[in-house]
Amino acid sequence: MGSMIAVVDLDDARQRIGKHHLGADELPTFVREREAQGRPRWVFSDTPNWYPALLAAGVQIERCFDL
């Protein structure tokens, strides 16, 4: 089994309103769809770990925090 990624949706008050478990191969499609819906703010645990695979899949993000 490949690595799993947890994506947590927060509202404006930073309360959890949803959670998704994705395989690493599902992340580019998920991010592309979310970026198309609006202007999400992503929080990555380690941007150099996650962003290269997104770029390789042709996905760019507009706003991000790196922990």
Side-chain angles (χ1 to χ4, degrees), residues 3-4 11 18-19 23 26 28 35 37 39 51-52 59-60 66:
S3 62
M4 295 298 292
D11 64 14
K19 187 172 185 178
E26 297 173 292
E35 283 288 325
Q37 293 173 3
R39 296 185 65 218
Y51 203 49
V59 178
Q60 294 186 7
D66 184 356

Side-chain angles (χ1 to χ4, degrees), residues 6-53:
V7 178
V8 178
D9 296 319
L10 304 176
D11 64 14
D12 291 338
R14 297 186 183 131
Q15 298 298 310
R16 184 186 300 190
I17 58 173
K19 187 172 185 178
H20 312 270
H21 290 93
L22 310 169
D25 60 329
E26 297 173 292
L27 185 62
T29 300
F30 183 88
V31 172
R32 182 181 293 112
E33 290 172 356
R34 285 297 177 95
E35 283 288 325
Q37 293 173 3
R39 296 185 65 218
R41 179 170 291 138
W42 300 95
V43 178
F44 290 123
S45 58
D46 182 8
T47 299
N49 182 51
W50 300 109
Y51 203 49

